[in-house]
Amino acid sequence: MKLKSEQALELDESHVTVGQSFCDDPKMTMRNVDVFYSDKQAIYDVNIDIAKNEVIAMIGPSGCGKSTFLRTLNRMNDTVEGCRVDGQICMDGQDLYSPKLDVVELRARVGMVFQKPNPFPKSIRDNVTYGPKIHGLADTRVDLDEILEKSLRKAGLWEEVKDRLDQPGTGLSGGQQQRLCIARAIAVSPEVILMDEPCSALDPIATAKIEELIKELSQNFTIAIVTHSMQQAARVSHRTAYFHLGKLIEVNPTEQVFTMPKHQLTEAYITGRFG
Amino acid sequence: MSDSKTLIKIQHSLTQRNRAEARFHWYGRIAILIGLMAVALLFIDIVGKGHGAFRATYINLDIRYDADLIGIDNLSDTEQLSAGNWQALPKTALRERFPDVSSRRDKRRLNNLLSNGAGFDLKDRLLASPRLLGKTESVWVLADDDIDTYYKSWLDGNAYEARLTGQQIQWIGELHEQGSIKLKFNSNLFNRGDSREPEQAGIRGAAVGSFLTLVMTLMLSFPIGVCAAIYLEEFAPKNRWTDFIEVNINNLAAVPSIIFGLLGLAIFINFFHVPRSVPIVGGLVLTLMTLPTIIITSRAAIKSVPPSIREAALGVGASRYQMVLHHVLPLALPGMLTGAIIGMAQALGETAPLLMIGMVAFIVDIPNGFSDPATVLPVQIFLWADSPERAFVEKTSAAIMVLLSFLIAMNTTAVWLRRRLERRW
Amino acid sequence: MQATHLLSLLIVLGSFSFYVSRGRSLALANPLGGIRNLHSLPSYYGLHAALWCTLPATFLLAIWLIFDEIVINAMVMTDLSPELIPSGNASYNLILNKVANIANGILPRESQPSGLLDAADNMLSLNVVSQWSITLLIITLAMFGLAWSSHKLKPDFRARPAVERVMQNLLLACACVAIFTTLGIVFSVLFESIQFFRSVPIYDFVFGLEWSPQTAIREDQVGSSGSFGAIPLFVGTLLVSAVAMFIAVPIGLMSAIYLAEYADSKVRTYAKPALEVLAGIPTVVYGFFAALTVAPFLRDLGASVGLTISSESALAAGGVMGIMIIPFISSLADDVITAVPQSMRDGSLAMGATQSETIRKVVIPAALPGIVGGIMLAISRAIGETMIVVMAAGMAAKLTANPLESVTTVTVQIVTLLTGDQEFDSPKTLAAFALGLMLFTVTLLLNIFALHIVKKYREQYE
């Protein structure tokens, strides 16, 4: 498909997402989701399912709303003054925005890894065991140590830090810090892990390690990852969703998105017309 | 070329402009110099006036602890002890030192060499070691404040003779030649409460009063201030009510301190019937006064904790209280403590509101608790500065030196704490 | 029991509830397979019990502390035997004091009228009744709280949100202390002032040219015209403040400009804190310095050139006050000057302007709103400053604009009127509150206006 003019890149108002937005056995479902910051609308009418144990990548130009969308999934947007979410977001059929829901419990089930590694300025041990402690996941010290080792092993960090568990987490290298943050997230045994551009602050070697880790984690967890790197999306994800100016343009299996995108905007983006 | 004409014009104006530049530069330097000179002058003046107060004049006398002279026969009978004529001890000793003094007037003048409290000092001495009764020992006895002033100025080379007679000056000269009059460390200054007699007055009562008042202030203002700061930074919704609280805090920080005194007088004393002059009411008033400072600095400390830490805590499912309690508060604590110390330094130096709530009363006893009448260091300075006796000038300056060293210590601690514990993000 | 004892009792009960409830929640969790099956951590169940046990009781205790004495006094006075019933407010207080002193054993019981002795006994027995009943009430309330919390204690009870709601309200209450302080100030000065304006017309107070409160001691002269005219005080305050600003503004401003624009970092690191030492010195020290060093120096200096300078001149008080305010102005001005964007300076310098031209023509005009705001805050500070003027300015109200003469200020009069043993309701003490009202209003308006200007200025460059 050839683009005739720049005009063709504009969105029509009655846009419908192309591709396979829905699946049979969804972990999370989003229907007609709108997000507003005060009066400004950031997300327009998004409908999508996230399947169990899949890795779904969100791509799109900066400011397209992919991070905002990710943060609606564990209600981290609650911390933003004036943010409002309309529509329905469910996990296992349970409405995440119902007033009865305890956000604390939700965030224990939906963990999050942030753009910049943000370990607590405490020891490595305290970083990982903080979540289990506040959620009462361990009754004894032995349980806690078990969780600590398991999480660090899963995050591929155990061998590197097992001799210095009581040293500050902030003393690790950037890549190690990010893996520590992943260990911290999985220590609570969440069902879903959200990753908001987890490698954007890391060098290529550290990035490769994290990507390897994501692939391994996908056996046990459902992972939604926002990335600005199309190569990364191509390497780690099963499905890819393309966002443009707050709208979800296309969702398809990753291979398809990168080889034969259905929508001209997706194609324009992956061929580098804008970004 | 017209360009060169412009250039010439510019070059013409340049000398004058450069001179203006230099002048302006010098105005700045002079302003700074004036400020620094004011600091230096203030310190030199205070130290110059006050350094003498750390030593007092004592006269060496051979004291015979004569039971008949005092009028007692039993050292354990308190009634007898308090009725005893203790001042007779040093008086007699002094008269033995100058046997040729005979007229009543001269005797009185001779007695005036000594402090009125000298006898009571000897009483304490005797009670500490009762076996001295009936024996004679050589004791350094505290001299009167006028003698003290004269002797110090005489040693410095410009004698201040206004309040002494020629004969007294001669006696002092004789004592000096015999080595029986000298300056010794003034322990009274640090061990005693206020007194009408300058040579016996000390700052201990005021210092203890200041300490109690500050403890009261700290116990109230730090928790309240930190809680208020946490609420405003972490939990308050953006609405009119919180805006109103903020405006209130900012304005209270600039309200004259004396107004807080009026508040204390009308509300705490007249309405709630808290007793006057006690550290409790002083602490309450100073709490309200320092609260804005503590809230404002605590908020700044909380603000400086990066949002990524909050996100990390919320991300693993901490509630907002757990986030604050486990992560934000420990990281903001050094900043909050710095603010608290600065607030306490402000409270320690405050005088005006305490005058309103009766902490200006003349109190001799050293307070033992929060509900004992007390005064504080700055008020003591104010009271002494108002006293007509010349010797109080020296005392006042000494009290100021003590107060300033406390303040400098507190502010240095605050700076040190900030440097040492505050994290850079 | 005394309030402090009751408070410690509550602390003990609270910690007891905490441990018991935490233990019970742990016991509940054990058969379920660990604390992960509880809604909240065990310590939250403990905290919930402790809060319910102590908070209502503490609240009750506070109310009792406030009203106990008032209620007992009123009861004693209504039961007073008829021949002692007081006629006026003053004798009411006198009798009440006597009764209390007899009851507390300060006054000897001998040779007192039997009516007073009865009243004192009445007061003692009422005190005992009151203390026992509050003790019982508090213990009952604490037990009810604990029982209520234990009743709620189940594995799915949402203890953490419940505790956090209470904490939220406590935090809010702390934040509201600021509002109550402002309210307290407004009410305390307003009520007394209204009482004052009943005896002295507000017009006479604000526009009167003569101030001599001492004459008002005599009953027949209360409110006599001219006694409470505050104009001389306002003029005196303005004169002293003007002298202070005359010294502080140029020096403070030039210091700030020098530090912000000219000084290298080495000078800045030493000179700035050294100047700020001036801000940390207590005002009473400045007062001492003004009264004992500066004033005599100025007087002698004046005498040597044939000028009569009063030893309590406005010049000495204002001058020292000016020195005190220098760091205040310089640090505020420093802030606003460094907030001016560098690009503005670059634009001017690139055209070939000298540095001083850039400062005078570009930086200062840009920073002007902030500087004006800072100066207004400084004026408000000068007007409200007390100790320097109390120690170095005069007592006598004189209507003059000559800084070499002695004047008095609003704050000096407040202190003079309120220190010493006056009766609280006399016009003299009430006048102090009226002056306080004036002072508060003026400084508040200045502050609000100045803070508004500074805030607007900051937003402009953010």
Side-chain angles (χ1 to χ4, degrees):
Chain A
M1 191 159 57
K2 284 246 168 187
L3 288 164
K4 302 238 162 48
S5 67
E6 290 297 318
Q7 287 284 298
L9 282 174
E10 287 195 355
L11 285 164
D12 48 335
E13 277 306 308
S14 60
H15 170 74
V16 181
T17 307
V18 288
Q20 307 165 11
S21 307
F22 308 114
C23 55
D24 297 335
D25 183 20
K27 180 71 191 166
M28 303 185 91
T29 58
M30 280 124 265
R31 296 292 177 266
N32 313 103
V33 175
D34 294 320
V35 181
F36 301 87
Y37 289 122
S38 301
D39 344 309
K40 224 184 107 234
Q41 189 161 8
I43 299 272
Y44 296 83
D45 192 28
V46 168
N47 292 281
I48 191 174
D49 285 352
I50 297 174
K52 279 209 174 94
N53 290 7
E54 80 165 336
V55 179
I56 182 165
M58 261 69 86
I59 59 169
S62 32
C64 68
K66 52 193 194 300
S67 285
T68 300
F69 175 72
L70 191 77
R71 293 164 72 99
T72 59
L73 300 182
N74 71 342
R75 289 183 56 177
M76 282 301 282
N77 274 336
D78 287 13
T79 57
V80 182
E81 194 88 36
C83 176
R84 184 163 57 87
V85 178
D86 288 349
Q88 197 185 39
I89 303 178
C90 291
M91 179 161 70
D92 297 331
Q94 187 187 12
D95 184 2
L96 299 189
Y97 283 81
S98 125
K100 268 182 271 172
L101 180 118
D102 192 341
V103 235
V104 167
E105 195 196 318
L106 167 68
R107 290 187 190 139
R109 291 172 64 191
V110 183
M112 186 154 187
V113 176
F114 298 86
Q115 190 167 356
K116 258 177 71 187
N118 55 354
F120 301 129
K122 298 184 173 186
S123 69
I124 293 170
R125 181 196 304 277
D126 287 344
N127 262 286
V128 180
T129 55
Y130 178 66
K133 269 189 204 154
I134 58 169
H135 294 301
L137 299 183
D139 288 64
T140 63
R141 246 199 105 75
V142 181
D143 292 352
L144 214 53
D145 284 345
E146 203 175 297
I147 294 177
L148 172 69
E149 184 179 341
K150 224 171 71 188
S151 312
L152 284 172
R153 271 191 198 286
K154 273 193 200 156
L157 200 58
W158 175 252
E159 294 300 327
E160 292 162 58
V161 301
K162 65 179 175 188
D163 300 323
R164 45 172 174 156
L165 290 174
D166 291 310
Q167 282 171 26
T170 40
L172 298 171
S173 73
Q176 287 174 321
Q177 285 191 13
Q178 194 61 303
R179 277 181 284 151
L180 178 62
C181 291
I182 294 175
R184 183 174 68 191
I186 56 187
V188 196
S189 336
E191 296 152 38
V192 181
I193 301 176
L194 310 176
M195 296 188 178
D196 188 359
E197 302 194 16
C199 303
S200 66
L202 304 182
D203 61 75
I205 297 169
T207 304
K209 274 195 177 161
I210 303 267
E211 286 178 6
E212 197 59 37
L213 178 58
I214 293 172
K215 277 184 199 159
E216 270 171 43
L217 292 174
S218 67
Q219 291 163 9
N220 304 315
F221 302 95
T222 304
I223 295 172
I225 177 169
V226 164
T227 172
H228 61 271
S229 143
M230 283 177 276
Q231 290 80 0
Q232 184 170 60
R235 284 192 297 264
V236 300
S237 70
H238 304 130
R239 273 200 306 161
T240 298
Y242 174 67
F243 282 80
H244 189 92
L245 294 177
K247 294 185 178 172
L248 179 55
I249 306 297
E250 177 171 354
V251 190
N252 263 321
T254 301
E255 210 180 326
Q256 196 183 337
V257 170
F258 286 103
T259 50
M260 35 180 180
K262 285 264 168 60
H263 198 283
Q264 52 189 6
L265 278 169
T266 321
E267 182 179 354
Y269 180 67
I270 61 169
T271 53
R273 297 273 309 271
F274 51 79
Chain B
M1 242 166 75
S2 68
D3 278 15
S4 65
K5 260 188 198 163
T6 339
L7 200 63
I8 289 166
K9 262 189 187 168
I10 291 175
Q11 280 167 345
H12 264 293
S13 73
L14 217 53
T15 9
Q16 213 175 0
R17 285 168 63 195
N18 279 340
R19 230 179 276 143
E21 169 73 32
R23 263 202 312 275
F24 195 72
H25 203 150
W26 269 108
Y27 291 154
R29 283 199 193 119
I30 289 168
I32 294 275
L33 273 180
I34 291 178
L36 295 183
M37 262 169 53
V39 178
L41 202 66
L42 197 69
F43 276 90
I44 292 170
D45 182 52
I46 300 288
V47 173
K49 283 199 175 105
H51 71 94
F54 295 101
R55 292 200 297 171
T57 308
Y58 287 83
I59 298 172
N60 189 275
L61 292 174
D62 292 324
I63 301 287
R64 189 160 55 85
Y65 295 96
D66 186 344
D68 295 336
L69 196 61
I70 309 166
I72 54 168
D73 48 26
N74 182 1
L75 272 182
S76 48
D77 184 350
T78 45
E79 211 165 299
Q80 254 185 28
L81 287 181
S82 60
N85 181 13
W86 296 96
Q87 195 63 13
L89 289 180
K91 277 183 187 169
T92 317
L94 196 59
R95 224 167 297 142
E96 280 164 11
R97 175 61 69 86
F98 297 99
D100 34 334
V101 175
S102 52
S103 78
R104 270 181 87 87
R105 213 183 53 193
D106 285 351
K107 275 185 187 166
R108 203 172 58 241
R109 284 195 182 136
L110 188 60
N111 290 339
N112 280 349
L113 292 185
L114 296 171
S115 163
N116 285 337
F120 295 105
D121 292 346
L122 294 174
K123 172 188 173 188
D124 294 340
R125 221 179 146 77
L126 179 60
L127 291 181
S129 46
R131 54 179 186 79
L132 282 174
L133 193 65
K135 299 212 176 87
T136 305
E137 70 164 343
S138 155
V139 184
W140 287 96
V141 178
L142 188 61
D144 187 67
D145 59 307
D146 289 330
I147 309 302
D148 184 56
T149 310
Y150 166 76
Y151 186 60
K152 280 175 185 161
S153 59
W154 180 70
L155 285 179
D156 286 344
N158 54 348
Y160 175 81
E161 302 176 347
R163 289 180 54 86
L164 301 187
T165 63
Q167 200 168 17
Q168 282 176 317
I169 291 170
Q170 196 193 331
W171 286 328
I172 295 172
E174 278 175 39
L175 284 170
H176 183 72
E177 268 166 35
Q178 295 161 1
S180 297
I181 182 166
K182 72 168 181 184
L183 293 177
K184 284 173 53 167
F185 176 69
N186 185 1
S187 57
N188 282 345
L189 184 65
F190 297 101
N191 290 333
R192 292 219 171 140
D194 198 5
S195 169
R196 297 279 186 219
E197 305 292 332
E199 75 275 7
Q200 291 182 65
I203 54 168
R204 181 144 190 167
V208 172
S210 268
F211 175 75
L212 292 172
T213 311
L214 275 197
V215 167
M216 188 79 198
T217 310
L218 185 65
M219 280 193 322
L220 287 171
S221 64
F222 189 59
I224 296 180
V226 167
C227 286
I230 290 175
Y231 180 78
L232 292 173
E233 277 305 312
E234 299 286 346
F235 296 103
K238 278 264 170 294
N239 59 24
R240 283 193 175 177
W241 183 248
T242 35
D243 281 351
F244 183 58
I245 294 180
E246 264 205 77
V247 170
N248 256 299
I249 290 170
N250 289 335
N251 278 321
L252 280 179
V255 164
S257 61
I258 191 171
I259 298 284
F260 287 96
L262 290 178
L263 164 87
L265 179 60
I267 304 278
F268 294 134
I269 292 179
N270 281 316
F271 189 73
F272 286 123
H273 297 287
V274 182
R276 274 169 170 268
S277 312
V278 299
I280 296 179
V281 69
L284 283 172
V285 167
L286 292 180
T287 296
L288 296 185
M289 204 194 79
T290 51
L291 210 47
T293 312
I294 295 186
I295 294 179
I296 290 169
T297 46
S298 297
R299 288 185 69 172
I302 294 175
K303 256 193 204 130
S304 73
V305 175
S308 68
I309 298 291
R310 295 184 178 83
E311 286 192 331
L314 292 178
V316 292
S319 72
R320 297 198 0 152
Y321 280 90
Q322 287 168 331
M323 167 192 94
V324 170
L325 222 56
H326 299 159
H327 301 286
V328 178
L329 209 51
L331 294 175
L333 206 58
M336 290 175 165
L337 285 178
T338 315
I341 295 175
I342 291 168
M344 288 306 107
Q346 194 189 337
L348 177 59
E350 197 52 70
T351 323
L354 301 178
L355 299 183
M356 308 280 92
I357 52 171
M359 293 194 93
V360 66
F362 174 72
I363 290 151
V364 178
D365 295 327
I366 293 161
N368 282 320
F370 293 107
S371 50
D372 283 356
T375 187
V376 294
L377 268 179
V379 177
Q380 187 72 75
I381 289 167
F382 168 65
L383 285 172
W384 281 353
D386 242 17
S387 304
E389 287 92 344
R390 191 186 160 91
F392 268 126
V393 173
E394 194 181 75
K395 294 267 173 185
T396 316
S397 306
I400 289 175
M401 284 161 76
V402 172
L403 179 64
L404 285 180
S405 36
F406 276 125
L407 287 174
I408 289 171
M410 284 167 87
N411 284 315
T412 320
T413 316
V415 171
W416 176 81
L417 203 65
R418 184 154 45 198
R419 293 240 173 96
R420 185 72 197 275
L421 296 174
E422 228 168 39
R423 223 171 258 275
R424 292 262 162 265
W425 301 97
Chain C
M1 261 198 265
Q2 282 191 336
T4 43
H5 294 153
L6 284 173
L7 215 54
S8 6
L9 176 75
L10 277 179
I11 291 172
V12 171
L13 281 178
S15 359
F16 170 76
S17 316
F18 177 82
Y19 284 108
V20 166
S21 293
R22 199 183 59 161
R24 275 196 55 207
S25 69
L26 279 169
L28 276 178
N30 250 341
L32 294 172
I35 52 174
R36 66 172 66 210
N37 295 300
L38 296 175
H39 174 275
S40 310
L41 290 177
S43 56
Y44 282 100
Y45 293 96
L47 268 179
H48 184 260
L51 285 177
W52 268 99
C53 175
T54 51
L55 270 191
T58 314
F59 195 64
L60 183 77
L61 185 64
I63 292 177
W64 176 74
L65 272 178
I66 294 170
F67 291 106
D68 171 57
E69 202 185 317
I70 300 169
V71 172
I72 288 183
N73 284 348
M75 284 167 77
V76 167
M77 292 309 276
T78 44
D79 288 354
L80 212 56
S81 61
E83 77 272 11
L84 284 168
I85 286 184
S87 47
N89 217 345
S91 66
Y92 180 96
N93 284 332
L94 198 70
I95 292 179
L96 191 60
N97 266 335
K98 252 188 179 169
V99 172
N101 282 338
I102 296 171
N104 295 332
I106 296 171
L107 277 180
R109 295 186 71 94
E110 295 90 31
S111 74
Q112 297 288 353
S114 66
L116 280 183
L117 288 180
D118 289 345
D121 289 336
N122 191 7
M123 184 179 257
L124 282 177
S125 63
L126 279 174
N127 271 334
V128 170
V129 170
S130 148
Q131 289 191 353
W132 276 109
S133 47
I134 190 68
T135 309
L136 278 179
L137 257 174
I138 276 181
I139 292 176
T140 329
L141 206 56
M143 286 303 144
F144 264 115
L146 180 56
W148 168 250
S149 161
S150 313
H151 165 73
K152 296 273 260 182
L153 205 164
K154 295 191 182 84
D156 59 346
F157 172 54
R158 299 155 64 85
R160 185 183 46 72
V163 168
E164 287 178 355
R165 263 198 305 280
V166 176
M167 300 227 300
Q168 171 113 17
N169 287 325
L170 285 180
L171 293 186
L172 177 63
C174 288
C176 288
V177 170
I179 290 181
F180 289 125
T181 309
T182 310
L183 277 182
I185 289 174
V186 170
F187 279 123
S188 54
V189 293
L190 206 58
F191 277 145
E192 313 298 343
S193 303
I194 288 170
Q195 250 186 310
F196 174 72
F197 291 134
R198 269 192 210 129
S199 52
V200 178
I202 190 162
Y203 181 87
D204 290 356
F205 176 69
V206 180
F207 297 104
L209 292 179
E210 203 174 318
W211 177 268
S212 51
Q214 302 308 330
T215 56
I217 288 175
R218 273 157 48 200
E219 282 286 326
D220 53 322
Q221 282 201 357
V222 167
S224 63
S225 64
S227 292
F228 287 103
I231 287 284
L233 307 187
F234 297 155
V235 171
T237 308
L238 286 182
L239 183 60
V240 174
S241 307
V243 173
M245 299 317 286
F246 191 75
I247 289 185
V249 171
I251 297 181
L253 213 52
M254 279 315 292
S255 311
I257 290 172
Y258 183 79
L259 286 176
E261 302 281 336
Y262 285 106
D264 53 34
S265 66
K266 213 172 146 192
V267 175
R268 241 178 114 85
T269 37
Y270 291 108
K272 221 179 158 197
L275 265 189
E276 267 156 23
V277 166
L278 283 175
I281 292 174
T283 53
V284 69
V285 177
Y286 282 110
F288 177 75
F289 186 61
L292 274 97
T293 305
V294 177
F297 173 75
L298 285 179
R299 190 192 52 213
D300 297 346
L301 193 71
S304 69
V305 295
L307 265 175
T308 348
I309 301 181
S310 156
S311 56
E312 293 178 331
S313 64
L315 192 61
V320 173
M321 196 190 282
I323 292 175
M324 182 194 82
I325 292 176
I326 289 174
F328 191 74
I329 290 191
S330 79
S331 72
L332 276 172
D334 193 20
D335 282 354
V336 291
I337 288 173
T338 40
V340 174
Q342 186 61 32
S343 55
M344 282 197 178
R345 294 186 185 87
D346 292 348
S348 167
L349 290 171
M351 279 173 17
T354 64
Q355 206 171 352
S356 68
E357 283 162 353
T358 306
I359 294 166
R360 275 179 301 184
K361 305 271 164 62
V362 179
V363 178
I364 298 296
L368 201 60
I371 291 175
V372 169
I375 290 177
M376 283 172 66
L377 282 177
I379 293 176
S380 131
R381 188 137 208 218
I383 292 176
E385 171 46 44
T386 310
M387 291 321 292
I388 295 178
V389 281
V390 166
M391 294 168 83
M395 294 285 180
K398 205 188 279 177
L399 193 56
T400 174
N402 180 359
L404 305 182
E405 283 189 54
S406 147
V407 292
T408 191
T409 70
V410 173
T411 47
V412 170
Q413 288 307 313
I414 295 179
V415 170
T416 340
L417 293 176
L418 286 181
T419 48
D421 295 318
Q422 263 102 27
E423 196 157 321
F424 191 68
D425 290 337
S426 78
K428 241 177 104 176
T429 47
L430 291 179
F433 282 91
L435 289 175
L437 178 65
M438 294 291 146
L439 182 62
F440 181 64
T441 320
V442 170
T443 51
L444 188 72
L445 290 178
L446 273 173
N447 293 342
I448 290 181
F449 197 51
L451 288 172
H452 182 74
I453 293 180
V454 173
K455 199 178 157 201
K456 275 272 158 336
Y457 172 78
R458 290 246 166 84
E459 280 166 2
Q460 186 189 335
Y461 289 126
E462 253 169 18

